[in-house]
Amino acid sequence: MLIPQLVSEGLLTEPNSAKGRLLAASAALFKQKGFSRTTVRDIAAEVGILSGSIFHHFANKESILRTIMLEAIYLVLARMKLTIADLDSCEDKMRALLRCELEAIHGLNGIGFTLLSAEWRFLSDESQSEILKLRGEYEAFHRNIYTEAKSLGHINVEPFFIRHFVRGALIETANWYHLHGDLPLEGLVEQIYLTTAVKW
Amino acid sequence: MLIPQLVSEGLLTEPNSAKGRLLAASAALFKQKGFSRTTVRDIAAEVGILSGSIFHHFANKESILRTIMLEAIYLVLARMKLTIADLDSCEDKMRALLRCELEAIHGLNGIGFTLLSAEWRFLSDESQSEILKLRGEYEAFHRNIYTEAKSLGHINVEPFFIRHFVRGALIETANWYHLHGDLPLEGLVEQIYLTTAVKW
DNA sequence: CCAAAAACCAAGCGCTTGCTTTGGTGGAGT
DNA sequence: ACTCCACCAAAGCAAGCGCTTGGTTTTTGG
């Protein structure tokens, strides 16, 4: 599996440890009520400890959010590279990346990824720039595929714009698309693929 | 002008009144720091009064946000209808609506519209459903244009999906596109128009 | 088996929050 | 001249916040 490997590399927290459970519970609450409306007492109650005990694991409340976000990017980055590794055609890669990002947005790798765009502003300046760097790597990965697609004639709008538009469209799906609904994930991938990346 | 008319209809607060200045200052702070990190003392200081005086104009802090959002929708709805009124071709209408929404997103009609998506969750359930109703009217307006475009053969993806994708793409521009930068607003409109609504 | 380390508890401090209360002022209407 | 009312300053309340502290329990590894 991918997760145990990332844990052993020190990028992810062991999910079954006390700290890991704290992260999972916090992420769930942050998604449900937002960071600022979630109190450390809420988090503690969710895992069955007292609020003060949280600060044995984290320096402060913000560093919980920071850790959740960092690990979410580590995971999605690793998953992206793994998915693409054994694909040759550019079209397949584009679809795979669309699917990969949609899975992350809809919580199939944990709920941390959703928080990245929603609770961004609650991080300190230092944490923000720390994550910004990883996000740059993530975005470059996507943009590179579109650059390749453009050179092959699969799209004819600048990769810069395509990527920005696609990212917005995908993020917005969190507000209207439901897994387990009528439309399977593959169908959603195909719809946005047709809309943005078809040669004409 | 449009705004004085809406004021006289009771939909908008007179911008130069004490209440109007309070709304503008609050909106600016909410956008800058977010709703939950903005205190009533911050707002009061911004307009030069004490925090207690705010509650002569508003029942509570949430109703400030609620009013900002309601008036933002009233304004953008009125502007949309006005813009489209004297257009005939469907393509022109699509471009006009794209431009209209982008202008709202980038604060050309005040900053209330931006808050609609970002600070949504801080409203009470009643306020949320109140705004949801207006938002339905707003979305129907956009979707109708795409339905017309589909029947005319300008697009061949379902209006339902197109509208969702476009909305996401437009909202996301708030995080990367800058007015007064290299790309004029018309150019941005054209890029997304080409990406989403071109017959092939 | 036992000491070290990790995890947690009980209590509460210092501060900020949204909101209230009270007591007043100035200006418009009659 | 009088009333009324929109408006505001000052002070403060009750509640809740993140976080600290000192000490206890639980887990772990040699």
Side-chain angles (χ1 to χ4, degrees):
Chain A
M1 259 293 279
L2 178 59
I3 294 183
Q5 179 189 338
L6 292 174
V7 169
S8 69
E9 290 176 17
L11 294 178
L12 257 56
T13 304
E14 163 63 43
N16 288 334
S17 68
K19 191 172 181 178
R21 284 191 300 271
L22 214 40
L23 285 172
S26 300
L29 287 171
F30 290 163
K31 172 157 192 188
Q32 182 191 333
K33 324 203 306 176
F35 177 76
S36 65
R37 294 209 156 173
T38 301
T39 72
V40 292
R41 288 171 179 81
D42 290 337
I43 299 171
E46 187 78 8
V47 298
I49 62 176
L50 291 196
S51 69
S53 307
I54 290 179
F55 299 94
H56 170 74
H57 303 277
F58 298 95
N60 47 45
K61 184 184 166 188
E62 186 232 314
S63 90
I64 302 178
L65 181 60
R66 171 179 160 277
T67 304
I68 291 173
M69 291 186 172
L70 280 176
E71 300 199 351
I73 305 193
Y74 290 145
L75 182 54
V76 78
L77 263 175
R79 235 183 247 289
M80 270 178 18
K81 291 172 183 172
L82 198 66
T83 312
I84 279 202
D86 44 18
L87 291 182
D88 294 322
S89 108
C90 183
E91 287 119 312
D92 285 348
K93 288 183 187 171
M94 291 173 70
R95 285 193 176 89
L97 283 195
L98 285 178
R99 181 183 180 109
C100 212
E101 191 163 25
L102 278 173
E103 287 177 350
I105 286 171
H106 290 272
L108 269 66
N109 313 330
I111 38 205
F113 193 85
T114 320
L115 300 174
L116 269 168
S117 43
E119 313 290 339
W120 169 263
R121 67 175 68 201
F122 295 108
L123 290 178
S124 67
D125 291 347
E126 307 86 66
S127 300
Q128 285 193 15
S129 57
E130 183 180 15
I131 287 183
L132 209 60
K133 194 181 154 196
L134 283 170
R135 186 200 154 108
E137 187 181 341
Y138 176 80
E139 286 296 324
F141 212 95
H142 283 276
R143 209 168 39 243
N144 285 345
I145 298 289
Y146 287 115
T147 305
E148 185 185 346
K150 178 101 190 293
S151 73
L152 293 176
H154 296 131
I155 61 175
N156 77 344
V157 175
E158 283 302 313
F160 173 82
F161 291 113
I162 290 274
R163 172 54 192 157
H164 276 111
F165 293 155
V166 166
R167 174 160 34 82
L170 295 192
I171 290 177
E172 181 68 12
T173 64
N175 296 324
W176 63 271
Y177 173 75
H178 297 286
L179 290 171
H180 318 305
D182 290 340
L183 182 70
L185 197 62
E186 293 295 349
L188 182 59
V189 166
E190 203 55 26
Q191 289 295 328
I192 189 148
Y193 181 78
L194 286 177
T195 307
T196 57
V198 138
K199 182 180 175 179
W200 65 87
Chain B
M1 260 294 281
L2 178 60
I3 293 183
Q5 179 189 337
L6 292 173
V7 169
S8 69
E9 291 175 16
L11 294 179
L12 256 56
T13 305
E14 163 63 41
N16 288 334
S17 68
K19 191 172 180 177
R21 284 192 300 272
L22 215 41
L23 284 172
S26 300
L29 286 172
F30 291 164
K31 171 155 192 189
Q32 182 191 332
K33 324 202 308 176
F35 177 76
S36 64
R37 293 209 158 172
T38 302
T39 73
V40 292
R41 289 170 177 82
D42 290 337
I43 299 171
E46 187 78 9
V47 298
I49 62 177
L50 290 197
S51 69
S53 306
I54 291 179
F55 299 93
H56 171 73
H57 304 277
F58 298 95
N60 47 44
K61 183 185 167 189
E62 187 231 312
S63 91
I64 303 178
L65 181 61
R66 172 179 159 278
T67 305
I68 291 173
M69 290 186 172
L70 281 177
E71 299 199 352
I73 305 194
Y74 291 145
L75 182 54
V76 77
L77 263 176
R79 235 182 247 290
M80 269 178 19
K81 292 173 182 169
L82 198 65
T83 312
I84 279 202
D86 44 17
L87 291 182
D88 294 321
S89 109
C90 183
E91 287 119 313
D92 285 349
K93 288 182 187 171
M94 290 173 70
R95 285 194 177 88
L97 283 194
L98 285 178
R99 179 180 183 113
C100 213
E101 192 163 25
L102 278 173
E103 286 176 350
I105 287 171
H106 290 273
L108 269 67
N109 313 332
I111 39 202
F113 193 85
T114 319
L115 300 175
L116 270 168
S117 43
E119 313 291 339
W120 170 264
R121 66 175 67 201
F122 295 108
L123 290 178
S124 67
D125 291 346
E126 307 87 65
S127 300
Q128 284 193 16
S129 58
E130 183 180 16
I131 286 183
L132 207 61
K133 194 180 153 197
L134 282 170
R135 187 201 154 107
E137 188 181 342
Y138 176 81
E139 286 297 323
F141 212 96
H142 283 275
R143 208 168 39 243
N144 286 345
I145 298 290
Y146 287 115
T147 305
E148 186 185 345
K150 177 101 190 293
S151 74
L152 292 176
H154 295 134
I155 62 175
N156 77 345
V157 174
E158 284 302 313
F160 173 82
F161 292 114
I162 289 274
R163 172 53 192 158
H164 276 104
F165 294 156
V166 167
R167 187 184 54 242
L170 294 192
I171 291 178
E172 181 67 12
T173 64
N175 295 324
W176 63 272
Y177 173 76
H178 297 286
L179 291 170
H180 318 307
D182 290 341
L183 182 70
L185 196 61
E186 294 295 350
L188 182 58
V189 166
E190 203 56 27
Q191 289 295 329
I192 190 147
Y193 181 79
L194 285 177
T195 306
T196 58
V198 139
K199 181 179 175 180
W200 66 88

